[in-house]
Structures are given as C-alpha cells and as structure tokens.
Amino acid sequence: MKQVVLTGIKPTGILHIGNYFGAIKPGIELANNPDYDCYYFIADYHALNIIKDKQTLKDNTFEMAASWLACGIDPKRVVFYQQSKVPEVTELNWLLSNVTSKGLMNRAHAYKAMVEKAEANGDDPDAYVNMGLFNYPILMAADILLFNTKLVPIGQDQKQHVEMARDIAKAFNKRYGYTFVVPQDLISEGVGLIPGTDGQNKMSKSHNNIIPIFATEQELKKLISAIKTDSSLPTEPKSTDCALFNLYKLFATEEQRAAMAKRYAEGISWADAKAALFELINNYLSPMREKYNYYKAHPEVVKQILAEGSQRARAVAKETIKRARLAMGLD
Ligand code: ADP
Ligand code: TRP
C-alpha cells in the first residue's frame, strides 16, 4: 500500500526562493517518489481568515496554482486541487468538531498569539478572534483525515496543527472505532533556512528581503546587485560565509560550488561574484519563468487542471465521509 502524503498551500501572494527550496522543491521530489500518493491543494478555505477581499482571493488562488505548476508539479502524478471545490472538507470539519474539546483549541499558538496581542492592547481577550481562526486546526484536521493521510510535509510553524489532527483522529477512533489513519508531520531539515538579500538568516515576505521565483531578468539583476556585501577590496580574498555565496550554493552543482569557492579564496570582486550569481540563478529559473508566463496567459488550462484534481479528490473524500457517517450513526 502506498502512503498518502498531503499538504496545503495558503494562497498568500508571491513565492520566493526560500519557499521554493524550503517547500516546493521537496514537495515535487516527494511527488516523484513512486512510494507515495500525493495530494497537494490550495487552501482557500483557510485563507478566508486572512484575505477579506474577493478579487484578491481569486487572484491569489490562481497565482499559487500557476506557480506550483510552473515549478514542476505534475498533475498526473499529484492530485492537485482547490480545497473549497471539495466541500466534503466542511462536512468532515463538522463531524470532527464533535470529538474535539475546546481546551485543545485553546492551546493553539495562532489563537493564543491573538489573545496575547489583545490583552497587551488592553482589549477584550477575544476581540481579534473570529471562529474561523479558532476552528482553524479542526478544518486542517479535516483536510488531512479526509484522504487517509500518513505524512504531512510542513514547516516547523505548522507542527502543532498536525499534532492536533493526530489527537482528533485518535479521539474519533476511540469513540467510534477505527475510522481514520493517524497522520504524522514531515519536517524537511535538508536545506535549512534560505537567507534574505539583506543578509538576515531568513528570506521572508515579512522581512522584505525576498527574491521572487518569477522575477523578470531585470528585476532579478537588480535584486542581486543589491545584496549586502562587506567592504573588502575587489582583489582581496572573500569569505564564503555570506549571503551571496549561500545563495550561489543552492543553485550550483558540486563542481560549480567548488570552483566558485576557489575564486572567492583567490579574490573575486563582488561585482563579478554578483554577475556569476545572476547568471546561475537566471539559467535555473528561466524555464520555470517561461512556464509561469504560459499559465498566466492561459488561465483556462490552470482552472481545468484544478477542476480535474478536485474531482479526483472528491471521489476519495466521499468514501471517507461515508465511513465516518456510518461510524457515527448518521446513516
Ligand atoms: P514567508 O515567511 O515568506 O511568509 P511562508 O511562511 O508563507 O513564507 O512559508 C511557506 C513555506 O515556505 C513554508 O513551508 C516555509 O517553511 C517555507 N519557507 C519560507 N521561507 C523560507 C526560508 N527562508 N527558507 C526555507 N524555507 C522557507
Ligand atoms: N495551515 C497551513 C499553513 O498555514 C496550510 C494548510 C491547510 C495545510 N490545510 C493543511 C498544511 C493541511 C498541511 C495539511 O501553511
């Protein structure tokens, strides 16, 4: 039996190379492994809590789907779908709500952070909390349990949510008999954090130090030339412990990496180092950029892929719902 791997991608704006190496590339590698059945989806129900503008939600959902496809998700191998097109998610959300204690939800980091923020501002503790935020972990458990998921690839920040999904699956199985596979998280430690263009150790939208995956050539050149470097003279030896070399390493082969380290030791100018980085990244990203431009120009292709994926997902989801309803005495 193949193991099911599932993960949700929140449709929040543009992707950067930290996302690519931290989440997208490992996701694509898992999907290429014949031991796994992969389900990847755009988590638009979850995004309702953050994105309140109708058109922005639509645009972001399309953008994220086009981006993942351009990065190399193969919709034949992966069931690639839009969460809200599988409404069984919300039915399971309700069923699971009835085996989930409020106490478990009270412990969620995201909820607690909002309460602390309100308290610090002297507001009512629940002033910034709507039920979408409070119930977020149950909806996520529904996503996961609906597809008999074993492995959930996620970043460290989502670990608690997968633990909650485990608790909810166990609570259900205990009360109603074995119904759900108990999932576990899969946190890839391979690449670690990708540094930002300002030298901070994390590239992040919120730090304003990103290189978007689909930046144009000109934008890419500009971003790379703005990467912070030290003040050593052009002919002086350079340390490879810098953002520029760390970024180079990500895209380079072993040989390219060794050759560049040698040039650093011999004293490459920062201008030449930046030009080499630009060329390397641009060569790597340009086929992806082309695919991205294709999908942007053909939204109907993306929509068709998502529609087919959502249909495949629903077929599995319906079976799980049937099982859960029977177990609970609804049917
Ligand atoms: P951001 O910090 O830019 O808002 P997200 O929190 O939306 O990015 O991250 C989405 C995914 O990309 C997560 O799985 C996260 O682990 C990964 N990721 C984000 N930034 C980095 C980074 N600098 N290095 C490695 N992985 C990252
Ligand atoms: N909450 C996840 C995030 O913020 C997205 C997500 C929704 C998800 N449902 C999921 C991730 C199910 C893994 C499994 O990134």
Side-chain angles (χ1 to χ4, degrees):
M1 272 287 277
K2 287 191 182 186
Q3 283 192 332
V4 174
V5 175
L6 173 141
T7 198
I9 303 138
K10 258 199 319 230
T12 47
I14 48 173
L15 288 169
H16 54 77
I17 61 177
N19 301 138
Y20 179 75
F21 285 102
I24 303 174
K25 192 161 170 264
I28 290 171
E29 280 163 5
L30 271 176
N32 287 334
N33 183 330
D35 293 340
Y36 301 123
D37 262 342
C38 292
Y39 290 73
Y40 296 164
F41 64 94
I42 312 295
D44 57 346
Y45 275 150
H46 278 102
L48 286 174
N49 204 252
I50 305 163
I51 303 169
K52 306 292 183 183
D53 178 68
K54 169 182 167 180
Q55 197 55 43
T56 308
L57 182 60
K58 276 179 193 271
D59 293 347
N60 283 4
T61 299
F62 169 75
E63 172 80 18
M64 200 52 86
S67 299
W68 273 76
L69 288 168
C71 288
I73 280 270
D74 177 355
K76 288 195 196 70
R77 293 186 94 104
V78 177
V79 180
F80 187 52
Y81 63 99
Q82 185 178 342
Q83 182 188 31
S84 69
K85 296 291 188 284
V86 183
E88 286 74 13
V89 171
T90 59
E91 180 167 4
L92 187 57
N93 176 72
W94 180 250
L95 304 184
L96 297 179
S97 295
N98 291 284
V99 295
T100 306
S101 69
K102 176 169 178 287
L104 184 68
M105 296 300 101
N106 286 343
R107 289 199 284 279
H109 300 317
Y111 166 67
K112 277 168 60 181
M114 280 301 183
V115 169
E116 277 162 25
K117 195 167 149 192
E119 282 171 345
N121 291 346
D123 286 331
D124 180 271
D126 279 334
Y128 311 151
V129 180
N130 70 27
M131 292 308 291
L133 175 72
F134 191 68
N135 288 335
Y136 189 107
I138 309 180
L139 183 61
M140 188 156 153
D143 290 328
I144 295 170
L145 303 188
L146 198 53
F147 296 98
N148 312 307
T149 306
K150 189 65 206 172
L151 297 173
V152 188
I154 38 148
Q156 190 68 37
D157 61 318
Q158 296 295 314
K159 192 175 164 67
Q160 188 195 35
H161 288 148
V162 179
E163 270 157 23
M164 290 177 161
R166 282 173 71 83
D167 289 344
I168 294 171
K170 285 183 192 161
F172 191 104
N173 289 347
K174 190 159 169 237
R175 180 156 332 149
Y176 294 111
Y178 183 80
T179 308
F180 295 116
V181 174
V182 179
Q184 67 196 52
D185 61 56
L186 184 68
I187 296 178
S188 103
E189 272 147 26
V191 285
L193 278 183
I194 311 305
T197 51
D198 57 356
Q200 282 198 63
N201 67 345
K202 190 186 175 199
M203 179 177 289
S204 169
K205 283 192 293 286
S206 42
H207 298 156
N208 230 330
N209 61 0
I210 65 167
I211 299 179
I213 309 178
F214 304 112
T216 62
E217 256 186 59
Q218 288 93 319
E219 285 163 350
L220 189 61
K221 200 169 262 171
K222 208 165 146 207
L223 285 166
I224 289 173
S225 68
I227 293 177
K228 276 207 179 132
T229 50
D230 66 24
S231 55
S232 50
L233 295 171
T235 51
E236 276 181 288
K238 309 279 186 292
S239 163
T240 52
D241 183 20
C242 63
L244 210 60
F245 191 78
N246 284 334
L247 288 170
Y248 192 90
K249 272 196 316 204
L250 284 170
F251 292 91
T253 61
E254 274 303 316
E255 296 82 60
Q256 285 172 320
R257 185 194 298 200
M260 188 51 72
K262 196 157 160 270
R263 289 181 69 193
Y264 269 61
E266 288 166 1
I268 187 176
S269 72
W270 285 128
D272 287 349
K274 284 179 174 177
L277 180 64
F278 167 75
E279 198 177 305
L280 185 69
I281 298 190
N282 193 48
N283 284 342
Y284 190 103
L285 296 182
S286 68
M288 279 158 41
R289 192 190 294 136
E290 265 170 43
K291 276 169 91 179
Y292 174 76
N293 290 338
Y294 167 80
Y295 286 123
K296 291 281 276 191
H298 297 86
E300 71 288 351
V301 176
V302 176
K303 284 180 189 152
Q304 180 65 21
I305 289 172
L306 281 181
E308 277 168 21
S310 304
Q311 240 177 18
R312 283 165 70 195
R314 273 196 97 171
V316 179
K318 281 183 179 155
E319 290 303 312
T320 311
I321 288 291
K322 213 186 268 175
R323 235 170 38 231
R325 291 178 59 98
L326 265 179
M328 295 178 97
L330 291 166
D331 290 327

